[in-house]
Structure formats: structure tokens, C-alpha cells
Amino acid sequence: EAQVTQNPRYLITVTGKKLTVTCSQNMNHEYMSWYRQDPGLGLRQIYYSMNVEVTDKGDVPEGYKVSRKEKRNFPLILESPSPNQTSLYFCASSKGATLNYGYTFGSGTRLTVV
Amino acid sequence: QQQVKQSPQSLIVQKGGIPIINCAYENTAFDYFPWYQQFPGKGPALLIAIRPDVSEKKEGRFTISFNKSAKQFSLHIMDSQPGDSATYFCAASIRNTDKLIFGTGTRLQVFP
């Protein structure tokens, strides 16, 4: 089954403790992206990657890091999480230009930072 | 200029009604306008999309209306069903980029 898999689904952590949210897709998509979803703010892009070793900032990159060492994986790293990073996170991938293919989203990771 | 403004924030209709969700944009470089549907506990999923060279697109009970001069587009759900209860996001992107700008979402509830 074609899918984007995120882990974990739920995570509670303490301020300052480094964490990684993994994202993997099995569709050989070149484009991958991370979004956070907050009430009243919709989906805001954190980082995206056009291909292996190519990453760029989205609209809200502060406090986050990403890497794209393999085509299928795009982990999101929070080096020193803070309570304002409590949110619902989504990884997405696309075959190419969104004009034709659209995004496939993962099921989300709900992160709570206390 | 990169924003997509979506309204209303929430919408309640009875089964069979026709909910309408509206979006507006400023950036004339946007040329792809998809709608995504999100059920609780799930990621958004592509529902329907339109390009600005057409004024309307229908897929089943879902219709996008597009007004290029007004820089507005809307989603209509014909004969709405309780199973349509979800959050709907409009979005926009610029030609030859993969960056999607999302609206703030509309929570739709359809009661039997």
C-alpha cells in the first residue's frame, strides 16, 4: 500500500530534550515536506525537500532541523523542544509538481512539550 | 501576499444541504488550487483541484467554483451527508513549485 508513515503517533516530552519524528514514504516520491497544524492557523510548512540532500526552509522553520540522506526518509528533529512547539505534525510527499499529483500525507504525530 | 484566506471557520448543515466554503488569495502567481479533506485522527487527503483557466470543476458531489478576476474560489458539497463531516482546507501553489499554501480550515458538521 502506498503510504507515508510517521512515528511516533503520540509523544509527550519535556522542554529541552532532543527528539526526532521519523517519516518514510514507499512511493519513490522526490518531494517531501513537514507541516504543523494548529487550531485557527491551518497547516504551516516547516521544511521541505525537493530531493536527496536538498532541503529548504518553509514558513515556520525556527527550532526545527531536517535531513534527507535517502529518498524515502525525511526525519524532523527538534534539538531543544519548547512548549510552543506543542502541535500536530504532518509529513507529506509528492511525486513531483503539485499541479498534477498533489500531496500524500501521513497520519500525523501529536507532540506535547511540557 | 502568500496567504490564502478561508471562511467560515466552522459550518453546520443538515443532511441534504449544500455547504459552501470560500477562499480568497492575493498572489496572482498562484495557479493551482486544491482542496483537502481531513477526518479526525487522519492526515489531509486531496479531494479536488482546479486550475485558473476553468471556472468550475465537478467531481461527484463536490464542485469547485473559481473566479479569477475576484481571486476567489469556493467548494460546494451537493446533497451533503453525515459522512462528509470533516475539516476542509483550501490551498494554492505557484506554477512549477511544490510548495502549497494552506488556508486555515473549515470544520464541517452534517447532521442527519
Side-chain angles (χ1 to χ4, degrees), chain A residues 31 35 37 45 96-98 103, chain B residues 32 36 38 41 44 98-100:
Chain A
Y31 182 86
Y35 284 84
Q37 182 176 0
Q45 191 178 49
T98 52
Y103 284 10
Chain B
Y32 171 71
Y36 281 77
Q38 183 184 30
D98 289 287
K99 182 179 175 68
L100 272 181

Side-chain angles (χ1 to χ4, degrees), chain A:
Chain A
E1 181 189 353
Q3 59 185 359
V4 176
T5 303
Q6 294 179 229
N7 280 298
R9 289 294 307 274
Y10 302 92
L11 180 59
I12 301 175
T13 190
V14 296
T15 298
K17 185 177 181 181
K18 181 179 179 179
L19 66 91
T20 299
V21 183
T22 64
C23 174
S24 180
Q25 49 93 4
N26 62 0
M27 296 165 282
N28 202 36
H29 285 174
E30 291 187 347
Y31 182 86
M32 298 185 74
S33 182
W34 277 101
Y35 284 84
R36 60 178 288 173
Q37 182 176 0
D38 301 288
L41 297 176
L43 290 152
R44 295 180 292 167
Q45 191 178 49
I46 302 170
Y47 268 95
Y48 64 97
S49 169
M50 303 288 282
N51 212 327
V52 176
E53 302 293 359
V54 179
T55 64
D56 208 347
K57 296 177 181 179
D59 299 314
V60 288
E62 295 77 21
Y64 305 94
K65 285 175 58 176
V66 293
S67 68
R68 187 91 181 271
K69 293 184 172 61
E70 306 166 280
K71 198 171 188 178
R72 62 183 291 127
N73 296 323
F74 191 44
L76 179 69
I77 303 156
L78 285 72
E79 295 268 3
S80 182
S82 62
N84 65 11
Q85 293 177 297
T86 293
S87 187
L88 179 58
Y89 291 87
F90 287 101
C91 181
S93 72
S94 171
K95 185 173 183 178
T98 52
L99 191 67
N100 294 319
Y101 298 109
Y103 284 10
T104 300
F105 280 85
S107 296
T109 295
R110 186 167 291 281
L111 172 66
T112 302
V113 184
V114 298

